[in-house]
Amino acid sequence: MHSVCPHDCPSCCSLEVDVADGRIVDVTGTAGHPFTQGVICGKVREYAERVHSPLRVLTPLRRAGVKGEGRFEPISWDDALAEIARRWRAIAAEHGGEAILPFSYAGSMGQVQFFAGHPLFHALGASRLDRSICVSTAYTGWRATVGQVTGNDSEQMVGADLVVLWGVNAAYSTINVMTLVKQARQRGAHVVVIDPYRTPTAVQADEHLAVRPGTDGALALAVMHVLIAEGLVDRDYVERATLGFEALAEHVKAWPPERVAPIVGLDASTIAAFARRYGAGARAFIRVGIGLSRHDNGGMTCRTIACLPALTGAYADPHGGALLSSGGAFALDLRALERPDLMPTPPPRVINMIRLGRALTDPDMRPPVKALYVYSSNPAAVCPNQTLVLRGLAREDLFTVVHEQVMTDTAHYADLVLPATTSMEHADLYRSFGHFYFQYAEPVIAPQGEARSNWEVFAALARAMGVATDHYARGHDAALSAALAGGEPHVRAVTLERLKREKSVRLALPRPYLPFADGAPTPSGKVEFVSASLAAHGLPALPTWTPLAEGPARADLVARFPLQCIVPPNRFFLNSSFSQSERLRKRQGTPTVMLAPDDAAARGIVDGDAVRVESPRGAARFTARLTDATRPGVVVIEGIWWHRFHPGGRGVNVLTDDRVTDMGGGPAFHSNLVEVTRA
Ligand SMILES: Nc1nc2c(c(=O)[nH]1)N[C@H]1C(S)=C(S)[C@@H](COP(=O)(O)OP(=O)(O)OC[C@H]3O[C@@H](n4cnc5c(=O)[nH]c(N)nc54)[C@H](O)[C@@H]3O)O[C@H]1N2
Ligand SMILES: Nc1nc2c(c(=O)[nH]1)N[C@H]1C(S)=C(S)[C@@H](COP(=O)(O)OP(=O)(O)OC[C@H]3O[C@@H](n4cnc5c(=O)[nH]c(N)nc54)[C@H](O)[C@@H]3O)O[C@H]1N2
Ligand code: SF4
Ligand SMILES: [Mo]
C-alpha cells in the first residue's frame, strides 16, 4: 500500500507499505517515484517497530507521580478533554488567553497535522509560537539574496560538472540526494563536500574541504574574490539579473584567500583552487545544507553562498545553480489552514520556541505561561538550554498536555498524555523541502489503541471550548482544497482530487526549473549582492563574515572551554525521533563525542573512555571516540538521544545555548565552546 514518510526530512519519500493482519510488516521506497527512486533510509525501513513500539501511547493518561518520573494511569478521552477544557477556562479567566502556550514542530510534515492547532489557539487568544528551531536563520539569509526559498531542482545536478555539498551530510540527512550525486559522479562530475568533519558524505566525495565551524562565509568571500579578480564572472548574467556588482567587487578585494586561510583552516592554495574550479563553468550545482546555518553568523553565511551562482551565471544553467530548500515553492494559501482571522486584536504575543526554558521560568513574563500544550515535538530533548527547559517543565503550577505517539522525555513531564496516530493511521498532504512534488497519503492501518490525529483532537477541543467550531466542522479536506486553490499558479494547478488519484504530483513548474535565470523575487527583482532590506534591519548590506559569538575569538571563554563542538544529526535517529527504538539505538551504539587523537592525548583520554563534555551551560556524559575524521580543536556530537537512554540522564542539548543567531531568530546549535574531561 502507498504511503509517504511524514518526517522532517528534505527527501519526503514515497513509501510502499506491506500490511498483514492490520499491522505494518515492511516499509520500502517507491521504485517509480522520481525522487525516491526506491531508496529510503535505515530508520524508516524499521517503521513497523516504531508504529508498534512498546513505548507507543495507546490511551489517554493522567500523571500519577512527580513530573519527569513517568508514572501514569489510563483515563478516558471524555475525562481528558473535559479536564483540559476546565483547566484552560480557569487559566484564561484568571490570566488571559496568552497564559496558554502551544508548542509544536515538525513531528509530521503533513499539512493537516502541522497546522491543525493554529485555528483553535488563535481563537483562544493563546500566545503564538515562533517556530524558529530549524530553518528560520537559513531561510532569512537565503531570501536576502534571492527573495524566495527555492532554487534549482536537485534532479538537475545529474548533468553537472561540479557538485558542491556545502554543510549537508546527505548520506544521513537526505539519502536520496546521494543517489543523484552518484549519478552525477558517474557522468564525470567532480564532487566537493564542505564540512568541518569527514562525514560519510565526505568519504564518498572527490574532495573534502574541512572548514572550521562557522567560517563558510569567509570561504565564500574568498571564492568571490578569486572569481572577480581572475575574470571568472558571467558578465551577461551579472548585467541582466543582479544588483550591486560594482560594490561587491570593491568589497571582496579585502577577502583574498591568504587572509581567509587562517580563519577557515585551509591553505590559501586550496581555497584558490576550489574557486577556480567553481569558476570554470556554469555547470556547477551547490546543494546547501540547513545544518551550516546553525551558527551565530548562519544567516549571513547562507546569504553569501547564495551569491556565488549569480557571479558565474550558474543560476541560469540547466545543470547548475544552487538549492538550500524547495520549501518556498510550495506556496499554499496558509490562511486557509492557520486561520489568522480568528485571532483577537491586537494579536497575542509571540514566544520564540528556542527560548522555551526562559518562557517557562522567567519571573517577569506577563502573563506567566500557565498551560502548555505540546504536539508533534519533543522539546525536553530537542530545545537548546535543556537545563532551563526541564526546570520549566518541572513546574508544579504548569498544566502540561502532551499529545504523542510514543512516551517521550517531554511526555514524562505531562499532566495529561494523549495518544496520537502515526502517518500510517491518518490521511495527509505532504510538501517537501528537498524536491518539488506534493504528495498525498491515505491511512494504511486503523488507529492503534485509542490514538487520534492532531486534527481530531483539536476539533474536539474546539467543541469543548466553543471556539473555531466551523473551521473543524468543514473538515480538513476543505481546508486543504482552499489552501491549494488560493496558492500561487503552480500550486493551484495541483488539486486535492488529482493528489488523491495520483498520490504524487509535481508542482506545475517548468523543466528545467531555473527560478533565478533572469532575476529573483527580491525588492529589486534582481539577485541582490547589495541588500537594502538587510541594511534596513541594521545588518550589513553586503555579504560579510563575522566571528562566532561563541568561538575561537572569545579569548575569555576559550581559556576554560578550548574546543569547538558541533552537534549535527546522527544516522539512525531523526532529531529525537527513533530514539525510542531499541533496534536503532543498538545500531547507533551509544552517545559519543568524536575527538581528534591529539586533543584526546592532551587530556589523557583513550578511545572508549567515559567522558564529561562541559559548555558554559552545563555538562553531559558521552563515550569518547578518537578519530582523524575531525580536526584538532573541533569535537562532534552526533544525534539527540532521549535522556533516559543517556548515561547521566542528560543529553546533548544541555550544552547548547538559547541565544539567537544573526537572522531569523533561530538557534546557534553548532556555535559551542566546550571542554572534555575523563569522567
Ligand atoms: N538521519 C537523520 N536525518 C535527518 C535528521 C536527523 O536528525 N537524522 N534531521 C532532519 C532535519 S530536522 C533536518 S533540518 C535536516 C537537516 O539536514 P541539512 O540541513 O541538510 O543538514 P545536515 O545534514 O544536518 O547538515 C549538518 C552538516 O553540517 C555540518 N556543519 C556544521 N557546522 C558547519 C559549518 O560551520 N560549516 C559547514 N560547511 N558545515 C557545517 C555538520 O557537520 C553536518 O555534517 O535533516 C533531516 N534529516
Ligand atoms: N543538538 C541538536 N539539537 C537539535 C538539532 C540538532 O541538529 N542538534 N536539530 C534541530 C532541528 S533541525 C529540529 S527540526 C528540531 C526538531 O525537533 P522536533 O520537531 O521536536 O523533532 P523530534 O525529536 O523528531 O520530535 C517530534 C515528535 O513528534 C511526534 N509526532 C510525530 N508525528 C506526530 C503527529 O502527527 N502528532 C503528534 N501529536 N505528534 C507527532 C513524534 O513521536 C516525536 O516525538 O530539533 C532541533 N534540535
Ligand atoms: S526520513 Fe527521510 S530518507 Fe528516511 S524515509 Fe523519511 S524522507 Fe526518506
Ligand atoms: Mo530540522
Side-chain angles (χ1 to χ4, degrees):
M1 296 171 88
H2 166 267
S3 191
V4 175
C5 177
H7 288 284
D8 187 5
C9 168
S11 282
C12 193
C13 291
S14 172
L15 304 178
E16 286 304 321
V17 184
D18 289 350
V19 175
D21 298 329
R23 290 173 70 89
I24 310 288
V25 286
D26 196 19
V27 179
T28 52
T30 307
H33 192 276
F35 199 81
T36 307
Q37 298 190 31
V39 178
I40 59 168
C41 64
K43 313 178 279 297
V44 171
R45 283 284 287 131
E46 304 295 342
Y47 222 64
E49 205 234 18
R50 178 172 172 82
V51 172
H52 306 292
S53 165
L55 289 175
R56 195 71 203 264
V57 180
L58 294 170
T59 66
L61 300 167
R62 183 188 280 128
R63 180 160 63 89
V66 297
K67 292 199 174 189
E69 186 188 340
R71 269 205 297 137
F72 293 95
E73 57 198 26
I75 56 169
S76 71
W77 267 108
D78 284 348
D79 286 352
L81 294 168
E83 186 165 334
I84 297 168
R86 182 173 59 75
R87 294 292 300 267
W88 281 2
R89 280 214 179 86
I91 286 166
E94 191 181 343
H95 302 278
E98 285 180 330
I100 302 171
L101 176 67
F103 190 99
S104 72
Y105 200 62
S108 170
M109 292 288 279
Q111 300 298 282
V112 171
Q113 309 312 330
F114 191 96
F115 291 110
H118 287 57
L120 168 68
F121 290 114
H122 285 336
L124 291 173
S127 287
R128 288 177 291 162
L129 187 73
D130 182 4
R131 291 176 173 78
S132 62
I133 201 163
C134 181
V135 293
S136 296
T137 297
Y139 284 13
T140 308
W142 192 258
R143 274 191 216 107
T145 301
V146 290
Q148 200 193 354
V149 179
T150 185
N152 305 63
D153 188 338
S154 25
E155 290 176 45
Q156 292 160 206
M157 82 166 67
V158 173
D161 296 330
L162 173 66
V163 172
V164 182
L165 300 173
W166 202 324
V168 51
N169 184 5
Y172 285 5
S173 67
T174 169
I175 193 170
N176 310 79
V177 166
M178 293 314 284
T179 308
L180 302 171
V181 169
K182 279 178 202 150
Q183 289 164 4
R185 200 152 176 257
Q186 273 156 15
R187 292 188 68 268
H190 182 85
V191 178
V192 179
V193 167
I194 307 180
D195 202 294
Y197 77 115
R198 196 170 65 246
T199 59
T201 305
V203 169
Q204 295 175 57
D206 296 291
E207 205 180 333
H208 172 212
L209 302 183
V211 293
R212 285 188 202 285
T215 64
D216 306 81
L219 176 61
L221 287 163
V223 171
M224 292 199 255
H225 174 100
V226 174
L227 293 177
I228 295 172
E230 301 188 5
L232 301 171
V233 169
D234 179 343
R235 285 281 168 185
D236 181 55
Y237 182 89
V238 166
E239 194 62 34
R240 79 170 187 274
T242 73
L243 178 78
F245 176 74
E246 298 309 326
L248 179 77
E250 198 47 43
H251 175 70
V252 300
K253 278 185 185 156
W255 294 94
E258 295 71 27
R259 174 181 171 197
V260 165
I263 298 172
V264 302
L266 297 171
D267 293 338
S269 59
T270 306
I271 296 172
F274 171 62
R276 287 182 193 124
R277 195 185 274 285
Y278 185 72
R283 205 144 270 209
F285 194 102
I286 307 179
R287 180 64 171 79
V288 189
I290 292 158
L292 68 58
S293 74
R294 299 191 176 111
H295 282 291
D296 292 307
N297 56 14
M300 188 55 90
T301 300
C302 290
R303 179 238 188 310
T304 306
I305 294 172
C307 292
L308 296 176
L311 283 176
T312 61
Y315 277 134
D317 188 282
H319 300 292
L323 183 76
L324 168 75
S325 161
S326 58
F330 294 82
L332 291 160
D333 180 1
L334 291 182
R335 290 171 304 183
L337 295 165
E338 293 187 23
R339 298 295 307 274
D341 56 299
L342 294 173
M343 258 189 286
T345 40
R349 69 178 169 193
V350 176
I351 290 179
N352 187 337
M353 70 187 294
I354 72 164
R355 314 193 97 187
L356 176 66
R358 277 168 212 263
L360 296 180
T361 56
D362 182 351
D364 294 328
M365 284 291 276
R366 292 284 176 276
V369 175
K370 299 295 265 183
L372 179 70
Y373 186 99
V374 181
Y375 58 110
S376 305
S377 183
N378 183 14
V382 304
C383 280
N385 204 345
Q386 185 171 91
T387 307
L388 208 56
V389 172
L390 297 183
R391 194 178 303 154
L393 290 176
R395 258 175 52 196
E396 257 316 310
D397 68 324
L398 179 71
F399 175 61
T400 302
V401 180
V402 176
H403 184 207
E404 251 299 352
Q405 297 167 343
V406 286
M407 186 52 83
T408 58
D409 287 339
T410 307
H412 272 182
Y413 285 86
D415 294 286
L416 294 175
V417 184
L418 308 175
T421 45
T422 68
S423 56
M424 300 290 167
E425 300 149 53
H426 57 235
D428 217 323
L429 168 75
Y430 297 90
R431 60 198 276 180
S432 165
F433 60 112
H435 61 61
F436 293 89
Y437 303 86
F438 261 127
Q439 297 181 86
Y440 183 82
E442 300 278 1
V444 295
I445 55 170
Q448 301 297 289
E450 296 176 27
R452 295 187 187 178
S453 71
N454 291 1
W455 177 276
E456 290 171 296
V457 178
F458 288 124
L461 286 170
R463 282 193 302 273
M465 297 300 287
V467 298
T469 43
D470 286 358
H471 176 80
Y472 295 101
R474 279 194 295 274
H476 48 64
D477 280 7
L480 285 180
S481 294
L484 287 163
E488 286 181 13
H490 61 271
V491 167
R492 236 178 285 154
V494 184
T495 61
L496 196 57
E497 293 69 41
R498 217 179 132 198
L499 275 162
K500 287 189 177 182
R501 224 172 29 241
E502 298 172 33
K503 307 302 181 208
S504 174
V505 180
R506 191 172 190 269
L507 293 169
L509 296 167
R511 274 191 202 266
Y513 175 52
L514 306 169
F516 313 129
D518 298 300
T522 58
S524 67
K526 309 275 186 191
V527 179
E528 295 194 348
F529 296 133
V530 174
S531 165
S533 10
L534 285 183
H537 283 92
L539 291 158
L542 282 157
T544 190
W545 178 79
T546 41
L548 299 178
E550 187 172 321
R554 283 288 300 280
D556 55 329
L557 288 176
V558 168
R560 279 181 58 213
F561 304 106
L563 302 168
Q564 283 183 277
C565 175
I566 58 170
V567 294
N570 66 10
R571 176 174 301 221
F572 290 112
F573 302 163
L574 194 134
N575 301 319
S576 76
S577 293
F578 298 97
S579 190
Q580 92 292 332
S581 160
E582 197 179 343
R583 196 175 304 169
L584 293 176
R585 282 199 309 278
K586 243 185 220 138
R587 276 202 216 157
Q588 196 55 55
T590 176
T592 57
V593 55
M594 300 185 196
L595 280 159
D598 285 357
D599 285 334
R603 292 165 176 77
I605 294 167
V606 298
D607 195 58
D609 270 355
V611 293
R612 183 170 180 273
V613 181
E614 184 177 8
S615 82
R617 269 72 54 190
R621 279 166 52 192
F622 297 87
T623 300
R625 208 177 105 213
L626 272 52
T627 169
D628 67 357
T630 186
R631 65 161 70 228
V634 178
V635 301
V636 184
I637 298 172
E638 288 182 344
I640 310 172
W641 291 68
W642 285 5
H643 316 158
R644 80 187 76 148
F645 303 126
H646 216 286
R650 286 293 177 267
V652 59
N653 281 319
V654 161
L655 306 173
T656 56
D657 194 11
D658 55 8
R659 68 181 186 279
V660 297
T661 59
D662 57 348
M663 296 179 200
F669 277 119
H670 298 316
S671 300
N672 296 304
L673 289 172
V674 302
E675 179 55 297
V676 183
T677 47
R678 283 184 60 183

